[in-house]
Amino acid sequence: PQTNPPAGRVVVTAGDDGSVKLWRVDDLRDATLAAPVATLDAGDACPCRVAVAPDGCTCATASEAGVRVWDLDAGTSRLVVDATRVAGDARFFSCALYSSFAGCRTAAAPVLPPPTECSSSSRRGGGGPRVATTSRGTAARVWDGQTGALVATLDAHNAMVNACAFVPGSDGARVVTVSDDRTGRVFCAATGRLLATLEGHTRWVTSCAVSPTGRAVATASTDKTARVWDATTGALRATLVGHASHVDGCAYTADGKRLITASLDETARLWDAVTGAAVGVLRHDAAVTDCAFSSVV
């Protein structure tokens, strides 16, 4: 693999061509985004999901072979979860990652107060980390990241749940899920109580991302659109139209002003997260299955 990707604001995409690509975005107002600055070889296992850690130095990818963690500075990876350990179809993995390694580039994450609607119960059972998971079923689950104990079952969808994400700044109190039932939903992570429903997509909802402030949720769908919602009320804020095929991934920039989407039309697209205006296009040689932004500037 190519080593020493450049520092700066970076987009990470994963594709069916078996690669993880890094794209440098020096000026997000520039719509002429060109070739990737680094390509990391995932081997025979085509990555279908990607997530970048808050430190901007590492990312995780999920594939049929399992979950890999990548060192973005060295361009190397290691298999951390073998798919043979997971029941069901590993293609439906979703992955999330938090890490901070000494000596690498770092970026401070915003510290926001937890939401009032379920903050009092968000730390039930201890103050350790929380992990949210999805499977082929209709529910997502929240686990204690230290003991492995089940904290809550998020059960309001009536079809398979495809992805989930914690709301930034909520102290792990809220989780967003998206499903083949064409909706997204926001839950209290401690009790499983439904807080909001995101309705408007006309086909399966494949992916979700939450803005750094925790006030907006983006969703991607096989209806060829991505949409932006109010995370509290569930009201629709913007519809992003431009892809020619299913949209499989979406992610916010660290400042929340831009969105990146990944599509089976072999492109990733950059958008204004507030207005929904198109900003730029990134091209793969095969379907683009997911995307993520490095938070490092």
Side-chain angles (χ1 to χ4, degrees):
Q2 182 173 334
T3 59
N4 299 321
R9 191 168 294 158
V10 176
V11 180
V12 183
T13 60
D16 278 354
D17 54 3
S19 70
V20 176
K21 294 180 184 289
L22 278 61
W23 313 76
R24 177 72 178 274
V25 186
D26 287 321
D27 185 350
L28 295 180
R29 294 170 296 180
D30 184 357
T32 59
L33 305 178
V37 294
T39 298
L40 312 179
D41 186 6
D44 294 333
C46 298
C48 61
R49 284 288 180 258
V50 60
V52 175
D55 61 17
C57 301
T58 53
C59 77
T61 57
S63 72
E64 293 182 10
V67 177
R68 284 188 173 273
V69 173
W70 299 79
D71 182 327
L72 296 181
D73 286 325
T76 58
S77 70
R78 59 187 175 89
L79 188 69
V80 294
V81 179
D82 192 302
T84 59
R85 296 172 50 194
V86 182
D89 191 336
R91 288 179 300 172
F92 295 105
F93 272 166
S94 58
C95 60
L97 180 66
Y98 180 86
S99 64
S100 182
F101 298 135
C104 71
R105 305 185 303 271
T106 58
V111 177
L112 302 173
T116 57
E117 63 266 29
C118 60
S119 60
S120 62
S121 60
S122 67
R123 286 303 189 186
R124 179 182 298 173
R130 294 292 186 260
V131 177
T133 62
T134 65
S135 66
R136 291 178 65 88
T138 60
R141 290 173 174 81
V142 179
W143 311 84
D144 186 294
Q146 292 178 329
T147 68
L150 181 65
V151 176
T153 300
L154 315 180
D155 191 5
H157 290 288
N158 55 33
M160 187 172 70
V161 181
N162 293 316
C164 59
F166 281 100
V167 176
S170 70
D171 199 27
R174 288 183 292 170
V175 174
V176 179
T177 60
V178 294
S179 167
D180 282 356
D181 66 7
R182 306 178 183 181
T183 71
R185 298 178 190 261
V186 183
F187 293 91
C188 176
T191 66
R193 182 165 63 92
L194 180 64
L195 302 175
T197 300
L198 317 178
E199 295 182 287
H201 281 294
T202 59
R203 297 192 67 183
W204 301 341
V205 189
T206 56
S207 183
C208 59
V210 187
S211 70
T213 63
R215 296 185 178 93
V217 176
T219 56
S221 171
T222 60
D223 65 9
K224 305 179 185 179
T225 72
R227 298 176 189 240
V228 179
W229 315 81
D230 186 290
T232 301
T233 66
L236 180 64
R237 290 184 176 181
T239 300
L240 313 183
V241 178
H243 283 294
S245 187
H246 299 176
V247 184
D248 267 9
C250 57
Y252 276 93
T253 55
D255 60 10
K257 295 181 180 180
R258 297 285 188 267
L259 269 169
I260 187 81
T261 55
S263 172
L264 301 189
D265 66 7
E266 302 184 3
T267 71
R269 292 177 182 262
L270 193 64
W271 312 82
D272 184 298
V274 177
T275 67
V279 176
V281 180
L282 315 176
R283 300 190 183 277
H284 271 256
D285 294 326
V288 186
T289 53
D290 206 10
C291 54
F293 262 104
S294 167
S295 60
V296 176
V297 295

